[in-house]
Amino acid sequence: MHGPPVKSRASVTAGTKRSRYGAFARKTVEVLGSVALTILGLLAVTFVIGRVVPIDPVLAVVGDNAPMAVYHKAREEMGLDRPLAVQFGRFVAKAVSGDFGVSVLTARPVIDDIKRVFPATIELATLATLIGIALGVPLGVLAAVRHHSWVDHVARIIGLVGHSVPVFWLGLMGLLIFYAKLGWVGGTGRQSVAFMDSVSPVTGMILIDCLLARDFESLLDAVRHIVLPATVLGYFSLAYICRMTRSFMIEQLGKEYVTAARIKGLSEWRVVMGHAFRNIAVPLVTVIALSYGYLLEGSVLTETVFAWPGLGSYLTDSLLRSDMNGVLGATILIGCIFIGLNLLSDLLYRVLDPRTR
Amino acid sequence: MRAPTGTTWREYLTAATPTSRRHATVQRVYLAWVPFSRNPTAIVGLVIVALVVAVAMFAPWLASHSPIAQDLSYRLAPSTAAHWLGTDELGRDIYSRLVWGTRTVLRVIFLVAVITGPIGLIVGAAAGYVGGWWDAALMRITDIFLAFPRLILALALTSALGPGIDNAIIAIGLTGWPPLARLARAETLTIRSSDFIAAARVVGASASRIVFRHVMPLCMPSLIVRLTLDMAGVILIAAGLGFLGLGAQPPQPEWGAMIASGRKFVFDQWWIAAYPGIAICILSLGFNLFGDGLRDALDPKAST
C-alpha cells in the first residue's frame, strides 16, 4: 500500500474532494483494466490448452472415414486454416458473447448445458459455505479466546485434517457410513427415483423449487440428499474459515485496546464480541468470499462422487469423453467466477473498512 | 566427517565464528534443527515422511505379493492371514499395492517439486530483482495462472495432454509455480535493498551473478518451507486426478486410482476404497506436520 503524497495544508483542504474522486476513478479504471487483462490471459491459456489436444477437432466432427474434400471443407468452416492470431481473436470474440461451441457429448450449445447444471452447484456450494460459517466462525473465536486449551487443539486438528483428507474419499466414506450402514441420509443424486421431476424447475435450485411448489415431501427428500455432500464440502470450508478466524482473533486479542477494555471492567463477552470480533469482521468477509471460490474446486470431485448433476460433474463427464468444448467452457466459467470473487472480496474490503478510503 | 581435533561436536557446532564455508553451513543447519527437534508434531511429520520413503525403498521386500498379479479365484476377499488388507476386484493384494503405491506417489511429489521449485524461484527472483516492465509482465502472467483454481487447471491440462501419470505430473507442476514465484519475488524485494547487494554491485558483480549467487540462496529457506507444505496439496491433487482416471493408468498401483476402483464395491467390500484413502491421509498429514515444523524452525515470524 502506498501512503498519500505529502501535501501542504492549504492544498489538502482545497483539493481533498476532487483528488479523492480522481483517485477513486483512477483506481476503478486500474482494477477493471487488470481484471480485463486477467480474463484475456485466462482465455489465452484455455485457447492454448484447446490447441495442444492430440485429438483432431475436425475428425471429431466429420468422422474418421470422411473424404479429403469433406475434411478440408469442414476445416475451413471451423476456421482452422486461418492464422493462429485470427483464430484466437475469433475464440475471444465468441467467448465474450457466451459462445463456447457445441458439446459433442450432449449435442447442445455448451452455454445452455452450463446454464442448466449451474444452479445445482450454486445450491450445493452455498449450503456448504453456510455450514462452514455457522460452525467455523464460533469455533475459531472460541479457539482464540481459549488459546492452548482443548478447544484450540480440536480446532487445529480440524484444520490439519481438512488439509490432509481427499474430499472424494471423505464423500465415499460418508456414503458408506451414513447412507449404507445407518440409512440417515439419501444416496447419490439430488432426489430419489420416486421423486424425480416431482417439481418443475423454476430456479433450478431444488430446495427453493420445492418450497415454491409447497411440495414438502419432495423438499424432505431433497434435503436428505443434499445434506451429506454439503456437509462434506462444508467441512473444508469450515476448516479454512476456522483457521483464519482463529489467527485473526489471536492477533486482535493481543492488542492494547483489548487490554484497555478489560481494565475498564467490561465483561469478557463484550471484550471479545463487542471489540475484538468487530475488528475482524471485514477480513473475515473477504475470507468467506475466497472460501466460496475454493468450494467450486472441491465441488468437482464431490459432485463426481455423489453423482450431483452440477458444473463439476459436467466438467468431469466432458473430460472423460474428451469433449474439449465442454471442458474449456466450464474451465473458463469457473476461472471467471474465481476472478469475480477475488474482485468482490477486494471491493468489500474497500467499502467496509474505513481505513482504505 | 569428523569434528576438528581438540574440539567436541558441541563446540564445533556452536562456535561464535565459523572457520570455513562448510562450518557455517553445518552451523546453520544445526541452528534450525534445535527448535525443530523440540517440536513433537514436527518430529511426527518427519517420521511419517521418512517411513514412507523407507517403505518405497524396500517395497520389494515389504510387499507380500506382486502388486499386479491377479488371482481371480480370490476376488474381493476381506483381510486374512494371506492377504492382510484383503484383495480387490481382480484378486490383487491391497497391502502390496499400497506398499508399491508409495513409489508412485513419491515419484509424483519429487518430480513436481523439481518442476515447480526452479520455475518459481527463477521467475520470482528475476521479477523482483530486475523490476520495472519485466516485473509487471511476469507478475501479470502469475496472476493469470492464479486465477484458475489449481485442480481445474490441472484437469484441463491433463485432458489436453492425455491421461497418464507423466502428463499428470507435468500438469500439476505447471499449475504449482505461481505461489512460489510470488513468494520468491517478495523475498527478493527485501533482499535487493540490503547493503551486501549494494556492495556486490559496487565490486562489479553482474546481475545474473547477484541473482544466482546472492539472492536465490537467501530465498531458499522460505521456498523450501512452502514447497514442503505444498506437497500435501500435490498428493491430494494427484490422487484426485488418479480417482478421475486421468493419472496413473492400470495396472500401475496408485492410491487415488485404487479408491476409484473400490468405489463400485464400497457398500459391500468397503476395504478396497478405505485403505488407500487412509494411506493418502497419513502421508499428506506427514507433509503438513513436517512443513509446519520447518516453518516454525526456519521462519519464526511467519507462524502464529
Side-chain angles (χ1 to χ4, degrees):
Chain A
M1 294 235 181
H2 304 286
V6 183
K7 288 181 185 170
S8 75
R9 173 147 266 196
S11 78
V12 171
T13 41
T16 315
K17 201 154 197 183
R18 194 198 287 159
S19 70
R20 186 194 283 169
Y21 283 124
F24 184 75
R26 232 189 353 261
K27 189 76 203 165
T28 313
V29 170
E30 207 174 276
V31 168
L32 286 181
S34 102
V35 167
L37 255 180
T38 312
I39 291 179
L40 194 65
L42 188 130
L43 290 172
V45 172
T46 42
F47 178 73
V48 171
I49 291 175
R51 299 297 310 180
V52 296
V53 187
I55 315 154
D56 186 343
V58 182
L59 278 186
V61 172
V62 298
D64 286 341
N65 303 321
M68 267 329 240
V70 176
Y71 178 88
H72 282 297
K73 191 153 184 302
R75 193 173 142 86
E76 253 169 58
E77 269 170 19
M78 294 165 80
L80 290 171
D81 54 336
R82 314 286 293 278
L84 268 184
V86 176
Q87 287 186 38
F88 179 60
R90 280 183 47 157
F91 178 79
V92 171
K94 278 182 154 184
V96 168
S97 61
D99 180 1
F100 298 116
V102 175
S103 160
V104 179
L105 182 60
T106 61
R108 270 180 304 214
V110 169
I111 189 77
D112 290 352
D113 281 341
I114 288 177
K115 275 185 195 152
R116 187 169 42 80
V117 297
F118 198 42
T121 299
I122 292 286
E123 187 174 36
L124 186 62
T126 306
L127 200 63
T129 304
L130 291 179
I131 292 173
I133 297 170
L135 299 175
V137 173
L139 187 63
V141 170
L142 209 61
V145 173
R146 303 250 179 280
H147 199 19
H148 296 307
S149 74
W150 65 267
V151 185
D152 196 16
H153 293 314
V154 168
R156 278 197 63 185
I157 291 170
I158 286 178
L160 261 179
V161 172
H163 273 109
S164 310
V165 178
V167 56
F168 53 94
W169 183 75
L170 199 63
L172 267 184
M173 292 300 114
L175 275 176
L176 169 66
I177 295 167
F178 295 106
Y179 169 63
K181 300 278 184 231
L182 297 172
W184 290 357
V185 298
T188 56
R190 297 173 90 186
Q191 287 175 298
S192 304
V193 179
F195 289 96
M196 283 290 178
D197 302 319
S198 59
V199 290
S200 55
V202 181
T203 60
M205 292 181 225
I206 207 136
L207 296 181
I208 295 176
D209 286 345
C210 289
L211 273 177
L212 286 177
R214 303 194 175 283
D215 184 345
F216 295 108
E217 267 181 66
S218 295
L219 180 68
L220 186 70
D221 177 65
V223 168
R224 276 167 54 90
H225 277 83
I226 202 173
V227 69
L228 189 59
T231 310
V232 167
L233 208 49
Y235 177 76
F236 292 90
S237 143
L238 186 167
Y240 179 61
I241 291 175
C242 172
R243 189 165 56 92
M244 298 311 277
T245 309
R246 176 179 170 276
S247 73
F248 288 155
M249 278 302 274
I250 286 175
E251 191 196 338
Q252 291 297 324
L253 289 174
K255 291 204 169 164
E256 284 178 353
Y257 75 87
V258 170
T259 319
R262 286 200 174 117
I263 292 170
K264 266 197 311 195
L266 292 185
S267 66
E268 188 65 18
W269 174 262
R270 292 265 328 251
V271 172
V272 171
M273 298 313 289
H275 285 73
F277 187 72
R278 280 188 59 170
N279 280 321
I280 71 159
V282 174
L284 204 56
V285 168
T286 66
V287 160
I288 289 167
L290 291 179
S291 81
Y292 201 86
Y294 295 130
L295 281 193
L296 285 176
E297 189 172 17
S299 73
V300 172
L301 289 165
T302 313
E303 285 181 7
T304 310
V305 171
F306 287 96
W308 191 262
L311 191 59
S313 291
Y314 183 71
L315 178 62
T316 49
D317 284 349
S318 306
L319 270 176
L320 296 178
R321 290 178 176 79
S322 303
D323 179 2
M324 278 322 274
N325 284 344
V327 172
L328 296 183
T331 308
I332 291 170
L333 182 72
I334 292 174
C336 285
I337 295 171
F338 216 59
I339 295 172
L341 285 169
N342 272 313
L343 186 67
L344 182 74
S345 79
D346 198 42
L347 249 146
L348 282 174
Y349 204 89
R350 269 169 217 292
V351 172
L352 296 178
D353 191 338
R355 282 170 303 184
T356 57
R357 273 176 220 148
Chain B
M1 196 170 75
R2 283 189 308 124
T5 45
T7 52
T8 63
W9 266 112
R10 204 177 157 69
E11 280 164 9
Y12 179 74
L13 288 169
T14 56
T17 43
T19 51
S20 66
R21 261 169 176 265
R22 192 175 50 180
H23 190 178
T25 312
V26 173
Q27 281 192 327
R28 270 190 53 192
V29 172
Y30 175 73
L31 279 179
W33 169 251
V34 170
F36 186 88
S37 65
R38 290 186 187 150
N39 182 347
T41 53
I43 293 294
V44 170
L46 179 64
V47 167
I48 291 174
V49 174
L51 271 179
V52 172
V53 172
V55 168
M57 283 168 72
F58 300 108
W61 294 276
L62 287 170
S64 53
H65 295 70
S66 156
I68 51 172
Q70 303 181 3
D71 182 0
L72 291 176
S73 64
Y74 211 73
R75 304 168 63 232
L76 304 172
S79 74
T80 55
H83 298 279
W84 295 346
L85 300 179
T87 60
D88 67 5
E89 78 277 13
L90 296 171
R92 295 174 297 197
D93 183 56
I94 291 174
Y95 163 74
S96 303
R97 283 178 71 74
L98 282 184
V99 166
W100 280 95
T102 57
R103 290 198 170 186
T104 315
V105 68
L106 288 179
R107 176 157 168 261
V108 171
I109 289 172
F110 175 76
L111 289 176
V112 167
V114 165
I115 296 173
T116 58
I119 297 182
L121 186 60
I122 290 171
V123 169
Y129 187 77
V130 179
W133 193 85
W134 264 100
D135 185 25
L138 284 176
M139 282 303 111
R140 181 53 53 200
I141 295 172
T142 311
D143 279 349
I144 290 164
F145 275 87
L146 286 173
F148 290 96
R150 188 168 179 191
L151 176 70
I152 308 289
L153 187 55
L155 279 177
L157 273 172
T158 340
S159 74
L161 297 170
I165 190 85
D166 293 323
N167 289 339
I169 291 169
I170 294 171
I172 299 171
L174 284 181
T175 55
W177 60 270
L180 296 173
R182 276 264 174 103
L183 185 73
R185 175 176 176 270
E187 291 276 330
T188 307
L189 286 180
T190 56
I191 295 166
R192 71 180 260 203
S193 55
S194 48
D195 288 343
F196 77 93
I197 296 290
R201 219 179 279 156
V202 168
V203 172
S206 67
S208 66
R209 186 182 168 88
I210 291 176
V211 168
F212 280 99
R213 301 298 299 269
H214 297 279
V215 174
M216 282 185 181
L218 286 179
C219 293
M220 288 309 284
S222 54
L223 211 72
I224 289 172
V225 168
R226 184 59 199 255
L227 212 51
T228 314
L229 284 171
D230 214 34
M231 288 308 119
V234 168
I235 295 167
L236 296 185
I237 292 183
L241 290 178
F243 179 73
L244 292 174
L246 297 168
Q249 298 301 302
Q252 188 179 10
E254 197 271 334
W255 295 344
M258 287 171 71
I259 297 178
S261 76
R263 188 180 160 194
K264 289 187 277 281
F265 313 97
V266 69
F267 295 146
D268 300 307
Q269 286 89 20
W270 53 266
W271 54 87
I272 303 173
Y275 293 130
I278 293 170
I280 294 171
C281 291
I282 292 173
L283 183 59
S284 179
L285 189 70
F287 271 103
N288 269 320
L289 294 175
F290 181 46
D292 277 341
L294 268 186
R295 187 188 54 199
D296 291 348
L298 292 175
D299 192 12
K301 61 182 185 293
S303 58
T304 48

